Amino acid sequence: MEKIKFFPVGEKEVTRAITESFLKQFTEYVESDVIIVGGGPSGLMAGKELSSRKIKVLIIERNNYLGGGFWIGGYLMNKVTVRAPGEEILKALGIPFDKASEGLYVADGPHACSKLIASTCDAGVKFANMTIFDDIILKENGKVGGVVVNWTPITALPREITCVDPVGLEAKIVVDASGHDAVVVKKLEERGFFKTKGFGAMWVERSEDLVVEHTGEAYPGLVVCGMAVTTTYGLPRMGPTFGAMLLSGKRCAEMIMEILEKG
């Protein structure tokens, strides 16, 4: 067997490569066209669609991984279901799937999620994972102008031993794709600018249509998509079906393009 000999690069070069690359990207994305809060299926889909149209997109994710519940579907069983016409997205992403019944399709969660993440990366989206949304930036006339973020591990430390101020990132449009938590919309509610209704009980057949229908600008400069839509408008929760999340992300991107074109 041939002996493998790695190139002689030391610790300082490795550290320098990490820090210089990270800081270069972070500095560049202090200002973006669109910041998406939440790296689940709707946020990834929105980012992919926008970035493929040459829009500068940064996705913020509080976990160290992307994809949200797309990896495991429902009840820790790693199959994801999609109702028609959601399978068209699976086809476009090259995700294999089977027909479970008329109009219902099932795919392997890890395969589907990794394909979506790869497509989003390929489109040019950049990510800040282990980064938690802390607050919102409001500009002239109360328009959303960005987000305030911190490192996720900061939240796990006792308050009395941490004093780490967050930092602000500016964007023309912010997207709340944070799932049922709807953290960005809830922050507006805390400040008295919005009133959420909270998501309702599960009703798959009704929820998916309504989520896509209500995807859009909920407040000047803020677009909601995915499960955050259900919390914002009091819609039924959709359960472990992912077609609406994918199509909501696509609709979200279309709505943002219209907003940006209007200036």
Side-chain angles (χ1 to χ4, degrees):
M1 184 179 294
E2 183 180 353
K3 185 177 181 180
I4 296 176
K5 178 71 173 175
F6 286 99
F7 196 84
V9 173
E11 289 78 6
K12 63 180 182 299
E13 285 84 8
V14 172
T15 302
R16 190 175 292 133
I18 293 170
T19 54
E20 289 182 352
S21 180
F22 176 84
L23 291 175
K24 180 176 183 292
Q25 178 178 299
F26 194 77
T27 301
E28 181 181 349
Y29 280 78
V30 162
E31 182 180 17
S32 303
D33 292 322
V34 179
I35 290 177
I36 299 174
V37 180
S42 66
L44 290 169
M45 191 69 198
K48 183 192 83 68
E49 293 289 309
L50 287 166
S51 195
S52 66
R53 294 173 170 85
K54 308 301 180 187
I55 302 298
K56 185 178 179 183
V57 181
L58 177 69
I59 292 182
I60 292 168
E61 170 55 52
R62 65 181 176 180
N63 293 306
N64 65 342
Y65 63 91
L66 304 168
F70 208 32
W71 291 105
I72 54 174
Y75 205 61
L76 294 179
M77 293 182 285
N78 64 355
K79 301 295 180 182
V80 295
T81 57
V82 171
R83 295 192 303 148
E87 83 281 9
E88 296 300 325
I89 300 288
L90 301 183
K91 289 180 185 176
L93 294 173
I95 298 170
F97 62 89
D98 295 319
K99 181 178 179 180
S101 62
E102 194 61 38
L104 178 64
Y105 305 90
V106 61
D108 180 73
H111 201 160
C113 195
S114 55
K115 279 274 192 179
L116 176 57
I117 293 171
S119 296
T120 307
C121 293
D122 290 345
V125 174
K126 300 302 180 187
F127 298 91
N129 52 344
M130 293 300 285
T131 298
I132 193 164
F133 170 83
D134 186 78
D135 205 345
I136 201 157
I137 295 173
L138 296 178
K139 295 285 190 175
E140 292 83 2
N141 301 317
K143 182 180 181 296
V144 173
V147 296
V148 182
V149 299
N150 214 330
W151 278 332
T152 300
I154 296 297
T155 63
L157 296 174
R159 186 75 175 175
E160 61 271 20
I161 65 168
T162 58
C163 183
V164 180
D165 279 333
V167 295
L169 306 174
E170 294 190 28
K172 296 172 184 172
I173 302 289
V174 172
V175 176
D176 191 336
S178 63
H180 286 311
D181 292 341
V183 293
V184 188
V185 181
K186 289 285 186 65
K187 186 58 70 174
L188 280 174
E189 186 173 37
E190 284 180 25
R191 300 192 180 285
F193 295 107
F194 200 90
K195 179 63 177 175
T196 61
K197 296 183 177 179
F199 62 89
M202 188 183 293
W203 188 4
V204 171
E205 292 179 353
R206 187 71 177 130
S207 179
E208 290 212 281
D209 292 7
L210 288 172
V211 164
V212 179
E213 180 182 325
H214 285 75
T215 296
E217 192 173 32
Y219 187 85
L222 175 64
V223 175
V224 292
C225 73
M227 289 188 292
V229 176
T230 65
T231 301
T232 301
Y233 297 109
L235 308 179
R237 63 189 301 166
M238 69 179 72
T241 50
F242 289 85
M245 297 180 203
L246 298 172
L247 288 169
S248 175
K250 186 175 182 181
R251 172 68 63 88
C252 172
E254 294 167 352
M255 302 290 285
I256 289 172
M257 292 304 298
E258 292 180 8
I259 295 170
L260 293 176
E261 287 171 3
K262 289 178 183 175

